[in-house]
Amino acid sequence: GISYDPKVQRLMEEIQCPGWDLTALPSDPAVMAQQWIQVLNAKATLSPAQRQTLIEQALQHRQCFDA
């Protein structure tokens, strides 16, 4: 992933998604491509509990905006 915002960085950490901060991208795009290929090949998925937690958090955030 590419983090452009603290919320994105937190999500990447929470789901253990490798990536970079927008201000610290590798100078060689091949480095990013190689890491993304590794992640895709690993076929890592979120557990049902992780998914449910993310859904619940999203619903809580939506309630804040709907209020």
Side-chain angles (χ1 to χ4, degrees), residues 5-39:
D5 183 275
K7 294 182 293 287
V8 174
Q9 183 64 38
R10 176 164 161 103
L11 175 63
M12 287 172 33
E13 291 168 2
E14 191 171 326
I15 65 172
Q16 298 174 348
C17 175
W20 300 269
D21 187 86
L22 188 59
T23 62
L25 295 175
S27 58
D28 182 1
V31 172
M32 294 170 53
Q34 184 60 37
Q35 187 170 28
W36 289 336
I37 290 168
Q38 289 174 348
V39 170

